[in-house]
Amino acid sequence: MANNHNNDTGSGNDSESSPLLTNHHVAAEAEDEKKSNVDGKSNGVKVPPVGKSEAPASAGYDWTANGLPLGHGSVMGEPMGRSLWDSSLFACLGRNDEFCSSDLEVCLLGGMAPCVLYGSNVERLASAPGTFANHCLPYSGLYLIGNAFFGWNCLAPWFSYPSRTAIRRKFNLEGSFEALNRSCGCCGSCVEDELQREQCESSCDFATHVFCHLCALCQEGRELRRRMPHPGFNAQPVLVMLPPGEQTMGRGA
């Protein structure tokens, strides 16, 4: 009897340690899962598969060239409309509004000292100390070299045109290429492709600075003065506390 009991125990241990036992359990679980799926279909209920969770579909957003998501438009998925420049390229005297005196200053600086105007524009755009000198001095050197060796300012536009691209991207302004497509309807396929459109707009920014350099600087100066205050005007007021004066105690008569 003891031997029979030992044999039964040994056979039970062998069956527990056998690798075929796990396969048997897996097959049983798969069969139960099939039965549950069949029962769910017969009842009209969709049973999700075991061990699989459906990930929520993420909303597909696209991005504009200046980093703004297309979902920021008036309709989801519609790009936000471009803003127009406050004044045209050839409006040298500006507009008759509260900034008319500033527009006259920009016009005088553009005609007499374009290096100062360019440095002031970059200083307003960057709002960082030392920006004016770091851009005004190199521009002055290129301006003098171009006029001395070539007879006209042909080198400074290569240095200054990125500021126009930065202004256009910062305020989401309409570029020359997009304005041309809006007026005559040409190059529609290039405008639809964001990367190709941005490359064309950068080329137009460069061409504007080369062929209409002073007008481009003045237009950028007028735009920045209407949209951004000078960095020197952003200083926070400082409260100064003065100690009270000496007080003397007098004895009444």
Side-chain angles (χ1 to χ4, degrees):
M1 294 294 292
N3 292 334
N4 293 335
H5 179 71
N6 292 335
N7 292 335
D8 294 341
T9 306
S11 62
N13 293 336
D14 293 339
S15 62
E16 291 179 359
S17 61
S18 175
L20 297 178
L21 183 62
T22 57
N23 296 335
H24 175 70
H25 282 295
V26 171
E29 290 179 359
E31 186 175 355
D32 293 340
E33 182 180 349
K34 289 181 180 179
K35 290 181 179 179
S36 61
N37 291 336
V38 171
D39 295 339
K41 289 181 180 179
S42 61
N43 296 331
V45 180
K46 183 178 180 182
V47 180
V50 179
K52 295 182 181 180
S53 59
E54 296 182 357
S58 59
Y61 289 106
D62 200 359
W63 302 86
T64 58
N66 54 354
L68 294 175
L70 293 181
H72 280 232
S74 57
V75 181
M76 186 63 66
E78 179 183 353
M80 186 167 55
R82 308 281 180 186
S83 302
L84 299 178
W85 291 78
D86 188 78
S87 58
S88 63
L89 182 63
F90 300 106
C92 299
L93 298 179
R95 295 168 52 188
N96 188 15
D97 55 6
E98 64 272 15
F99 292 94
C100 60
S101 60
S102 177
D103 293 343
L104 293 177
E105 176 191 358
V106 168
C107 182
L108 292 176
L109 286 177
M112 302 178 63
C115 57
V116 177
L117 178 59
Y118 171 68
S120 176
N121 292 346
V122 178
E123 187 179 25
R124 285 178 181 267
L125 186 63
S127 300
T131 308
F132 178 84
N134 293 337
H135 288 79
C136 181
L137 295 179
Y139 180 94
S140 301
L142 294 174
Y143 180 86
L144 294 176
I145 293 174
N147 283 277
F149 289 94
F150 302 101
W152 66 293
N153 184 20
C154 59
L155 298 180
W158 291 79
F159 179 71
S160 62
Y161 89 91
S163 65
R164 187 175 185 86
T165 304
I167 294 171
R168 181 175 50 78
R169 291 179 179 177
K170 183 177 182 66
F171 303 116
N172 195 30
L173 298 175
E174 185 182 55
S176 302
F177 185 77
E178 194 170 0
L180 179 64
N181 176 75
R182 178 172 54 84
S183 60
C184 63
C186 61
C187 305
S189 59
C190 297
V191 174
E192 294 176 358
D193 187 0
E194 282 290 330
L195 181 60
Q196 191 173 4
R197 185 193 62 81
E198 185 59 30
Q199 293 175 352
C200 295
E201 292 290 5
S202 299
S203 302
C204 291
D205 293 339
F206 172 72
T208 304
H209 264 255
V210 170
F211 297 106
C212 303
H213 182 62
L214 299 181
C215 294
L217 289 180
C218 292
Q219 185 188 27
E220 296 162 13
R222 293 190 300 269
E223 193 73 28
L224 287 173
R225 279 160 174 76
R226 282 170 168 79
R227 293 180 178 269
M228 299 183 66
H230 193 275
F233 298 153
N234 292 335
Q236 298 294 331
V238 179
L239 179 62
V240 179
M241 299 182 64
L242 299 176
E246 296 183 359
Q247 298 179 0
T248 58
M249 299 180 64
R251 181 178 298 177

